[in-house]
Amino acid sequence: MTKKPWISLSGIGVFAVLLLAVAPLVLSDHWLNNLGKYCCWAIAAVGIGLAWGRGGMLVMGQGVFFALGAYSMAMHLTLETAGDRVPGFMVLYDPLAPLPMFWEPFRSTGFTLLAIVLLPVVVAGALGYALFKRRVKGAYFAILTQALAVALATLISSTIRETGGDTGLSDFKYFFGFVLNDPANRLMVYLIAATLLIVCLLAVWQFYRSRFGELLVATRDAEERVRFLGYDPANVKLVAFVVSALMASIGGAMFVPIVGIITPAEIGAAASILMIAGVALGGRASLFGPALGAMAVGWGQSSLGSTWPDGWTYILGLLFVVVILFLPNGLSSLPARLMRRQRPGPVEPPAPAIAPAELEEVKS
């Protein structure tokens, strides 16, 4: 094993200590809850880093898979709060209406956990197989995935009686039997989210140093050469796409008990673009860049967005443009650049901001 993987693994260890040991001691309950929310976005961002940074797939519709996990969890928590009764928002529209059939299985804890894992795998597997086998890529792939996020958000907004519509699902009292208002239980939920983020980082670290990781980068940079060597690029990209979708679903599932609400605004095109912006800001091809970038964007949205809601979007846009122009590999590439300037010598060319296969697709 080379030195670089050990450095990355040590970095994950330090990150774990900061999240799991230091943060609960030094942060107030409010900021610890916010940090848990940032961890949920970071989980989804780590998956985007795998699919986009290493696989060259600009996944602009991760809100779809974020929604699958979030609404699966929200439906279970809503039923847990309602008990044997029909959820309150349904009674407002029709006091005598029965519980919809697709809600009933979510009373089960086991079914809910399986849905959080299996739903994104099945949906991403079917979608990815249909697209990658037809060699859909580049801008066409990005637009199509974003269109799916818009369509799903619109569908949920229009089904008020079944999903709560634009107001979403909220007012959760329990989390698998634990009272959410209890500070100890809220700490437990935060620790679960932070632990899942560390596990996702470890999984991606293993992916990057495996033969599959090398094959994924080769598929990004020279897809036709990979096909010529006897590998099917569609299968390689499909695995990365499914893993990315699973991580987005896990992030969405933990987002619900931490934030206490899920609405179509959290899963639509704007939310998906914010995830992409965080990944690009941190550095899409690095291990920690996507997670740290997503957490930074989340902090900006919570802090600056509340005090300056109109200007926050412009700040994010300006920062995104500056990073793309001067740091195409994200803020994670800044330390390496500074070190190279201090020690002049032969410099390796940076990774291309756009994979050659994507560039040919855009030109055509």
Side-chain angles (χ1 to χ4, degrees):
M1 186 181 297
T2 62
K3 184 178 180 181
K4 188 175 180 180
W6 278 109
I7 294 176
S8 300
L9 190 59
S10 301
I12 295 176
V14 173
F15 194 48
V17 170
L18 290 176
L19 286 180
L20 300 176
V22 177
L25 293 177
V26 301
L27 295 181
S28 65
D29 292 342
H30 169 74
W31 280 108
L32 193 66
N33 192 69
N34 278 347
L35 183 59
K37 178 172 63 174
Y38 308 153
C39 286
C40 297
W41 284 330
I43 292 172
V46 169
I48 294 175
L50 175 66
W52 183 31
R54 294 300 175 107
M57 297 168 282
L58 183 54
V59 283
M60 297 188 69
Q62 289 301 88
V64 172
F65 307 110
F66 195 87
L68 292 177
Y71 273 89
S72 295
M73 179 66 77
M75 290 164 67
H76 175 76
L77 299 187
T78 299
L79 291 174
E80 196 173 15
T81 300
D84 296 331
R85 298 169 298 172
V86 176
F89 75 91
M90 296 182 183
V91 176
L92 291 177
Y93 297 102
D94 188 355
L96 301 179
L99 186 71
M101 290 185 61
F102 70 91
W103 272 72
E104 195 64 42
F106 287 95
R107 291 188 183 276
S108 168
T109 299
F111 181 88
T112 301
L113 296 177
L114 282 176
I116 292 169
V117 174
L118 294 183
L119 274 178
V121 170
V122 172
V123 173
L127 177 63
Y129 184 86
L131 295 179
F132 298 141
K133 288 297 182 179
R134 288 172 174 77
R135 303 188 185 183
V136 177
K137 53 187 176 181
Y140 302 103
F141 177 81
I143 293 172
L144 197 151
T145 54
Q146 189 176 43
L148 290 175
V150 174
L152 180 61
T154 303
L155 175 63
I156 293 176
S157 297
S158 62
T159 54
I160 300 177
R161 297 186 179 185
E162 292 79 14
T163 63
D166 289 330
T167 58
L169 300 176
S170 60
D171 195 25
F172 311 118
K173 298 286 192 302
Y174 304 99
F175 176 75
F176 297 110
F178 294 93
V179 179
L180 278 174
N181 286 335
D182 189 337
N185 293 336
R186 297 196 67 81
L187 174 61
M188 176 194 66
V189 174
Y190 161 77
L191 291 175
I192 293 174
T195 301
L196 287 172
L197 174 57
I198 300 302
V199 170
C200 289
L201 284 171
L202 286 171
V204 170
W205 172 78
Q206 183 61 38
F207 268 119
Y208 284 177
R209 62 191 294 267
S210 67
R211 175 166 292 186
F212 172 81
E214 296 176 355
L215 191 58
L216 184 62
V217 173
T219 302
R220 178 196 68 187
D221 295 336
E223 184 172 325
E224 293 304 322
R225 292 184 182 181
V226 172
R227 184 176 286 108
F228 177 77
L229 292 174
Y231 297 97
D232 188 352
N235 293 336
V236 177
K237 292 193 288 186
L238 180 61
V239 172
F241 184 56
V242 169
V243 172
S244 174
L246 175 59
M247 290 185 181
S249 178
I250 293 173
M254 293 308 303
F255 180 87
V256 169
I258 290 176
V259 179
I261 186 173
I262 183 66
T263 68
E266 304 290 349
I267 65 169
S272 299
I273 291 174
L274 275 179
M275 295 180 193
I276 290 290
V279 173
L281 175 65
R284 61 187 176 94
S286 65
L287 177 62
F288 291 101
L292 296 178
M295 296 175 84
V297 169
W299 173 84
Q301 186 182 30
S302 299
S303 302
L304 300 178
S306 59
T307 57
W308 194 22
D310 295 332
W312 153 244
T313 305
Y314 296 105
I315 294 175
L316 178 62
L318 178 62
L319 186 62
F320 185 72
V321 170
V322 170
V323 169
I324 292 299
L325 288 178
F326 300 103
L327 288 172
N329 294 324
L331 294 177
S332 61
S333 64
L334 189 59
R337 283 195 172 194
L338 294 176
M339 290 180 63
R340 285 198 296 265
R341 287 187 178 183
Q342 292 176 359
R343 294 183 297 179
V347 179
E348 296 181 2
I354 301 179
E358 296 181 44
L359 187 59
E360 292 176 5
E361 186 68 27
V362 174
K363 286 183 179 179
S364 61

